[in-house]
Amino acid sequence: SAKVHVYPPFPVAPEPWPVIQHTVLFSRAWKPYIRGYLILQVILNLTAMACFWLPPHCGERISLGITALLAAVASDLVV
């Protein structure tokens, strides 16, 4: 939108001077952030919690949790 304002004259200029003010609105698309960031974090956190569903004597239990945690931190640093 645009508005026209007419200001009073300066002492050195006898005529009033018009000024046009513009209002510009920007909006950010939120869907790419949901797809690229939030869904990735949910999947990585579910994968990290999946290590608690594995039996305690399983050797890959700790490595699964650490790998999922490092992947979540790395994706936080990238975004």
Side-chain angles (χ1 to χ4, degrees), residues 3-77:
K3 295 180 183 178
V4 176
H5 295 284
V6 178
Y7 290 100
F10 283 122
V12 294
E15 67 273 351
W17 47 284
V19 174
I20 299 176
Q21 291 182 343
H22 293 280
T23 304
V24 180
L25 298 175
F26 294 103
S27 63
R28 183 178 277 188
W30 56 272
K31 289 181 182 179
Y33 293 102
I34 296 296
R35 284 191 308 250
Y37 179 71
L38 189 64
I39 292 176
L40 176 65
Q41 288 297 320
V42 168
I43 290 172
L44 289 173
N45 286 327
L46 288 176
T47 306
M49 290 182 61
C51 71
F52 295 110
W53 296 326
L54 293 174
H57 61 276
C58 182
E60 287 84 22
R61 180 178 178 177
I62 294 176
S63 64
L64 175 67
I66 291 173
T67 303
L69 179 67
L70 288 175
V73 170
S75 70
D76 273 344
L77 292 176

